Amino acid sequence: MQFSSALLENAVNEFSKLPGIGKKTALRLVLHLLKQDAGAVQAFGETVIRMRQEIQFCQRCHNVADGVTCSICDNRMRKQELICVVENIRDVIAIESTQQYNGIYHVLGGIISPLDGIGPDQLTIESLVNRVTKEGTQEVIFALNPNIQGDTTIYYTQKKLQPLGVKVTTIARGISFGGELEYADEMTLARSITNRLPVESYVSK
Amino acid sequence: MQFSSALLENAVNEFSKLPGIGKKTALRLVLHLLKQDAGAVQAFGETVIRMRQEIQFCQRCHNVADGVTCSICDNRMRKQELICVVENIRDVIAIESTQQYNGIYHVLGGIISPLDGIGPDQLTIESLVNRVTKEGTQEVIFALNPNIQGDTTIYYTQKKLQPLGVKVTTIARGISFGGELEYADEMTLARSITNRLPVESYVSK
């Protein structure tokens, strides 16, 4: 692409570094910003810079935070003895959006994946074990993606938690709401039969 | 979407104001920036702010410029007596990317569209007429999109240019390279027969 302005070209290059944004999309975004108020564009740039400079990670659960601990940990209305273990911040946001979970979190920062060179030491598993020891946690719920890496991470972490006598659970797998039985994969369908529930618990939801 | 950090939420909101960027994409972009160097994110924000504050519009052709006139107008290697009239900056970039055009431009800033409330006075048509009068232009090429608004704009502007005795042309319409005859619309196919070319001019390309 040929630009007649270096300022425009630099802005397009910066945008096209973002994931999933090619040169054409970057140009569309930059030309949109060019049409906005100078004040609005300044707010955009400053908000992004400020976010990166000032954001912190909660010392307790490793979620994003505006201070030393995050607003979820600080919320005393939430069950402090119930920890949901997730891979990353995006999963926290997904679970929070359901508005059904009233405990707190622990963000692992990834999952055990030897092929990608990620071992248990790069994750916050040690910090989770310390938390459970100190905080008198009653239950740890694993909400990890259902693949080999997720299962390995659950297995490894559960071994570490076992001596502490805490209850360890994992979120339910099964046919999704609106899912058709005939299109479900065999493993999911098989598991959903093995882990069948009394009809009362289904109706009450 | 529920965020545990106001800094994160503000950044996501800013990104989701951009066209075609929803909340989920905005979150993905922000989390990507969160993983980058603070320096790189600062460069991103400052480049965007600087672009909006310092960019100017060429006083001659209304293209984006880093100074009073744009680098295309300033380039004395280009034919100053050949003006290509386009709707917006994006069209300039598209034509420049072909590396086949050696004249200069005139950016209208839109096309005549009464339904959208855009009349000739909101466009730079007057400025084009002044240029042609002063600069001794030999040819004006219209490169507008082939629709009613584009045709109206060509018709209106051509009427204004007629008394000046300048040659007025429009880019060729026809079957695109790689296009299949049977899928072409009737109007394009009909026009491509009416405006047929001697084979020599086709082969030489």
Side-chain angles (χ1 to χ4, degrees), chain A residues 105-158:
Chain A
Y105 293 91
H106 191 87
V107 179
L108 288 180
I111 43 175
I112 298 173
S113 175
L115 279 179
D116 301 315
I118 301 173
D121 298 342
Q122 276 125 296
L123 309 178
T124 60
I125 295 175
E126 200 59 41
S127 148
L128 174 66
V129 175
N130 288 340
R131 274 184 76 180
V132 172
T133 313
K134 273 190 225 154
E135 297 180 11
T137 308
Q138 286 172 5
E139 184 175 347
V140 172
I141 308 170
F142 283 98
L144 301 181
N145 287 317
N147 49 32
I148 294 180
Q149 292 90 336
D151 290 351
T152 309
T153 310
I154 292 177
Y155 182 77
Y156 178 92
T157 315
Q158 196 251 353

Side-chain angles (χ1 to χ4, degrees), chain A residues 1-8 10-11 14-15 17-21 25 27-38 40-57 63-66 70-72 89-90 92-94 96-99, chain B residues 1-8 10-11 14-15 17-21 25 27-38 40-57 63-66 70-72 89-90 92-94 96-99:
Chain A
M1 243 184 235
Q2 304 274 329
F3 297 93
S4 57
S5 154
L7 290 162
L8 189 77
N10 292 342
E14 284 292 339
F15 266 101
K17 285 181 195 163
L18 296 174
I21 308 276
T25 309
L27 177 64
R28 193 158 53 87
L29 299 179
V30 170
L31 290 180
H32 170 85
L33 287 175
L34 197 55
K35 276 192 234 153
Q36 307 303 306
D37 268 9
V41 176
Q42 182 141 10
F44 172 84
E46 282 173 357
T47 304
V48 173
I49 295 172
R50 196 167 155 233
M51 184 272 303
R52 178 63 188 80
Q53 280 174 345
E54 296 184 14
I55 220 163
Q56 297 179 42
F57 291 92
N63 187 12
V64 284
D66 292 345
C70 76
S71 59
I72 297 175
I89 300 157
R90 212 173 292 157
V92 173
I93 294 170
E96 282 299 286
S97 297
T98 68
Q99 302 190 322
Chain B
M1 244 184 236
Q2 304 273 329
F3 297 94
S4 57
S5 153
L7 290 164
L8 190 76
N10 293 342
E14 285 291 339
F15 265 101
K17 285 181 197 165
L18 296 174
I21 307 276
T25 309
L27 178 63
R28 194 157 54 86
L29 299 178
V30 169
L31 291 179
H32 170 86
L33 286 174
L34 198 54
K35 277 192 233 153
Q36 307 304 305
D37 268 9
V41 176
Q42 184 142 7
F44 172 84
E46 284 173 356
T47 304
V48 173
I49 294 172
R50 198 169 153 232
M51 184 271 302
R52 179 62 187 81
Q53 280 174 344
E54 296 183 15
I55 221 164
Q56 296 178 42
F57 291 91
N63 186 12
V64 284
D66 292 345
C70 76
S71 59
I72 297 175
I89 301 158
R90 211 173 290 155
V92 173
I93 294 169
E96 282 300 285
S97 297
T98 67
Q99 301 191 322

Side-chain angles (χ1 to χ4, degrees), chain B residues 80-153:
Chain B
Q80 303 287 325
E81 64 286 353
L82 182 62
I83 296 179
C84 180
V85 177
V86 293
E87 185 179 336
N88 55 40
I89 301 158
R90 211 173 290 155
D91 297 331
V92 173
I93 294 169
I95 296 176
E96 282 300 285
S97 297
T98 67
Q99 301 191 322
Q100 294 289 319
Y101 179 65
N102 196 29
I104 53 176
Y105 293 92
H106 191 87
V107 180
L108 287 181
I111 42 176
I112 297 174
S113 175
L115 279 179
D116 302 315
I118 301 172
D121 297 342
Q122 276 125 299
L123 309 178
T124 61
I125 295 175
E126 201 58 42
S127 150
L128 173 66
V129 175
N130 288 339
R131 273 184 77 182
V132 172
T133 313
K134 273 191 224 152
E135 296 180 14
T137 308
Q138 287 172 7
E139 185 175 345
V140 172
I141 308 170
F142 282 98
L144 300 181
N145 287 317
N147 49 34
I148 293 180
Q149 291 89 339
D151 290 350
T152 309
T153 310

